[in-house]
Structures are given as C-alpha cells and as structure tokens.
Amino acid sequence: MYYFPLQPPYLLLIMGFFIALTSGVALSGTLKVIVQKWSSDRQENSQTRSFLKQLLVPFLGITSGIFLFLYSGLQIFGFPSSLALGVALPLGLLTCLLVWLQLGSMLDFVQSRGMQSLDLDSWS
C-alpha cells in the first residue's frame, strides 16, 4: 500500500499559524496585565527589563510559529527544503528581533512618560 506523504507541508503551515496565533493571544494577555499593574501601582522605579522577562516565552512562541509558517509556506511554493530554511530562518529571526527591540523601547517610553504619551489623537 502506498502512503502519500504530505509534500508540500500543509499541516506544518497550519501548525505554525496556530502556534503564532495562540502565542500572540498569550502575549497580548500578559501585556495587558503588565499595563494594568503599572496603572494600579504607579511605581516609577519598576524595571522594564523585569517585565520583558515575562513576555519572553510568548514571544518565543510567536517567533517559532512565524518561522514554521514561513518555512512551510516557501516549501508549498516549490522551494527546496534547504533554500526554504535559508530564507525563513534569517527573515523570521530578524523580523522578530526588530519587533522585540521596538517592544522594549516602547515599554521604556511608556514607563518614563506615561500612557498619555502614546495617544496620537490629542493636541496637547
């Protein structure tokens, strides 16, 4: 009996999307808890880096989900495995690194100037 392999990897594409989506929901919930803690405590001396440690695990989940999604998506479009890995790995890691640095700088900015500094609609 002949079993047809999943070539191209549609299951990996769906799994990568699911991993990134669920990790994004976890990151969103963790970020909401951190912001609520900031608004309730009003502590100026709390370190942003300690909050980034709480966000690291969901963010690594997003990174792995994005990598898996990119890798399998490139394979679906006909790229060989080695080329798909060579494109998806740097692209996914670089994108997630830049988002991580931006998230850290935005948390520092909000902690130093307050949540009102992010309101782009106000004229004051």
Side-chain angles (χ1 to χ4, degrees):
M1 182 183 254
Y2 179 72
Y3 292 103
F4 184 74
L6 281 176
Q7 200 69 339
Y10 295 110
L11 183 62
L12 287 178
L13 183 82
I14 294 169
M15 285 175 46
F17 182 73
F18 181 73
I19 290 169
L21 186 69
T22 55
S23 297
V25 169
L27 181 80
S28 172
T30 307
L31 202 54
K32 285 179 185 176
V33 167
I34 288 172
V35 169
Q36 286 175 355
K37 187 182 290 186
W38 276 354
S39 65
S40 66
D41 290 347
R42 301 274 186 203
Q43 292 179 347
E44 301 297 327
N45 57 0
S46 62
Q47 293 291 327
T48 305
R49 299 297 166 207
S50 66
F51 292 121
L52 285 177
K53 290 178 186 177
Q54 295 175 358
L55 297 174
L56 185 64
V57 172
F59 196 80
L60 287 177
I62 293 173
T63 303
S64 64
I66 287 173
F67 164 70
L68 193 60
F69 184 81
L70 284 173
Y71 173 68
S72 58
L74 288 173
Q75 278 190 330
I76 287 172
F77 284 111
F79 285 80
S81 288
S82 58
L83 184 60
L85 181 66
V87 170
L89 188 63
L91 185 65
L93 289 178
L94 181 65
T95 302
C96 289
L97 175 69
L98 292 175
V99 169
W100 180 256
L101 293 174
Q102 183 66 30
L103 178 65
S105 68
M106 289 302 292
L107 286 176
D108 286 336
F109 186 75
V110 166
Q111 187 176 16
S112 65
R113 297 193 182 173
M115 287 299 269
Q116 295 80 18
S117 63
L118 292 181
D119 187 17
L120 299 177
D121 293 334
S122 67
W123 288 89
S124 48

